Amino acid sequence: MEIGFIGLGNMGAPMARRLLDAGHQLLVYDTRPAAVEEFVALGAQAANSPKEIADRVETVMTSLPSLAAASAVATGADGIIDGHRVRRLIDLSTVGAQTAADIDARLAERGIARIDCPVSGGVGGARRGTLALMVSGPAAEVDGARPVLDVLGTVFFIGERPGSAQTMKLANNLLAATTLAATSEAVVMGVKAGLDPAVMIEVFNAGSGATHASRDKFPRAVLPRTFDFGFATGLMVKDVRLCLAEAASMGLSMDIAEAVGRVWEVALTETGPDSDFTAVVKPIEAAAGVTVGARARDRDDATTRAGQS
Ligand code: NAD
């Protein structure tokens, strides 16, 4: 199938790579020329704008970092909305329910269907094709997109209402943000008391404290202090803010989410939007006056386990 792919970043690049490897023909666009060149070398064709892509293919996929980028690419000048051939947009970005519904309505005026498809599972899941794909949109369109989506992971149909998959994604990321922040606080507390952080993670993972943060993020990116898991702090804060805004729009107050939001705002201020989100532990360490690192005795074991998981 001919697919247009816009946004070849941490998530978009490995997803686009899987589509190429599965035999699809890709026409790609990104504002970073180097990202496009990499895909041309792999056999994709390059386009000069989202509109050019939408002039040349029926199915366009996007994986973009902000609400502004997602809106501009879909409905801005030289956007998908002005393409002559495009029939459907599959948006893999996290943009929140309101933005999704707004873009959906604008595209619908031009007869372009929009499938909302935020994803979870990180860069590793994108590489392996094991993402959780949260999908909302017209059921017939979703069925038609299955051969493409199945290459990327497992499809969970959330509903037909535009934006409902975004609500699902924000709930998921609230939990991811919470467990990473809470695990950071728990480990820092232990280190302050003299415990070995590698042993702490091992105990969590054998006990009831286990989460994705302790099973994957700490062993891979915090204990070895590489802070390179592949998701930017700025994007995590975007998602937590979107979640809080969505809850507020429904008249909900969520105490835990608000506290978690404060922790992430501090991380954003202290470590910057481009830091890896695993750096959320750093301001917590600084406040406690300790550093979480695998003890020399345990580091090799922890690294081996991370490599095997
Ligand atoms: P990223 O910043 O690594 O990649 C975004 C890409 O979009 C970059 O290559 C950038 O150059 C390109 N881009 C930006 N503006 C553009 C525009 N106007 N036109 C064309 N290209 C443009 O971001 P990411 O981590 O790949 O995340 C993408 C989306 O996926 C976000 O919505 C994020 O919240 C979501 N997401 C990320 C992860 C993760 O682990 N990284 C996991 C799940 C969901």
Side-chain angles (χ1 to χ4, degrees):
M1 187 169 164
E2 275 187 318
I3 301 167
F5 204 106
I6 302 174
L8 301 163
N10 281 332
M11 291 299 279
M15 288 193 273
R17 182 68 196 261
R18 284 195 68 81
L19 293 169
L20 269 182
D21 290 347
H24 296 290
Q25 294 153 288
L26 291 198
L27 180 61
V28 299
Y29 174 71
D30 193 293
T31 42
R32 288 183 303 125
V36 173
E37 282 157 23
E38 193 182 313
F39 272 82
V40 169
L42 292 169
Q45 289 186 59
N48 291 313
S49 68
K51 178 180 183 304
E52 185 189 337
I53 288 194
D55 277 336
R56 291 172 56 184
V57 300
E58 291 188 351
T59 301
V60 182
M61 305 179 85
T62 49
S63 176
L64 294 162
S66 66
L67 281 58
S71 297
V73 163
T75 62
D78 258 348
I80 292 165
I81 195 165
D82 290 324
H84 297 304
R85 191 157 174 224
V86 61
R87 300 286 307 280
R88 64 194 64 82
L89 166 62
I90 303 173
D91 192 357
L92 305 151
S93 325
T94 307
V95 294
Q98 188 58 53
T99 298
D102 291 348
I103 297 173
D104 195 284
R106 291 280 312 279
L107 294 180
E109 289 167 9
R110 301 283 181 96
I112 304 167
R114 180 175 180 284
I115 297 174
D116 216 353
C117 185
V119 304
S120 180
V123 173
R127 283 201 194 105
R128 292 186 295 270
T130 58
L131 293 171
L133 306 165
M134 294 154 265
V135 179
S136 56
E141 289 290 344
V142 173
D143 284 346
R146 285 260 178 185
V148 175
L149 299 180
D150 287 343
V151 174
L152 306 179
T154 304
V155 171
F156 294 89
F157 184 63
I158 308 300
E160 294 220 58
R161 185 171 54 80
S164 52
Q166 291 289 336
T167 306
M168 179 68 238
K169 167 67 179 169
L170 296 182
N172 179 82
N173 274 30
L174 171 61
L175 292 181
T178 301
T179 54
L180 183 53
T183 305
S184 298
E185 284 191 347
V187 173
V188 165
M189 181 190 79
V191 170
K192 183 82 180 172
L195 306 192
D196 181 327
V199 173
M200 290 185 77
I201 290 297
E202 220 170 296
V203 173
F204 294 153
N205 289 340
S208 55
T211 64
H212 193 269
S214 65
R215 282 195 300 266
D216 212 4
K217 291 161 189 153
F218 263 71
R220 277 180 199 271
V222 180
L223 294 181
R225 298 197 78 72
T226 50
F227 301 109
D228 60 352
F229 201 80
F231 187 42
T233 299
L235 296 185
M236 185 82 263
V237 171
K238 159 182 72 80
D239 294 353
V240 174
R241 286 179 183 167
L242 282 170
C243 184
L244 287 167
E246 185 148 342
S249 76
M250 290 184 275
L252 298 179
S253 119
M254 302 206 296
D255 291 348
I256 294 171
E258 281 159 22
V260 168
R262 288 194 292 277
V263 173
W264 281 98
E265 294 293 344
V266 171
L268 182 69
T269 306
E270 298 293 320
T271 68
D274 297 330
S275 67
D276 191 79
F277 76 149
T278 50
V280 68
V281 73
K282 289 183 179 175
I284 301 170
E285 292 174 328
V290 298
T291 301
V292 172
R295 296 229 174 129
R297 171 168 62 80
D298 304 307
R299 193 178 302 140
D300 293 344
D301 289 343
T303 306
T304 307
R305 279 193 301 279
Q308 287 167 346
S309 64

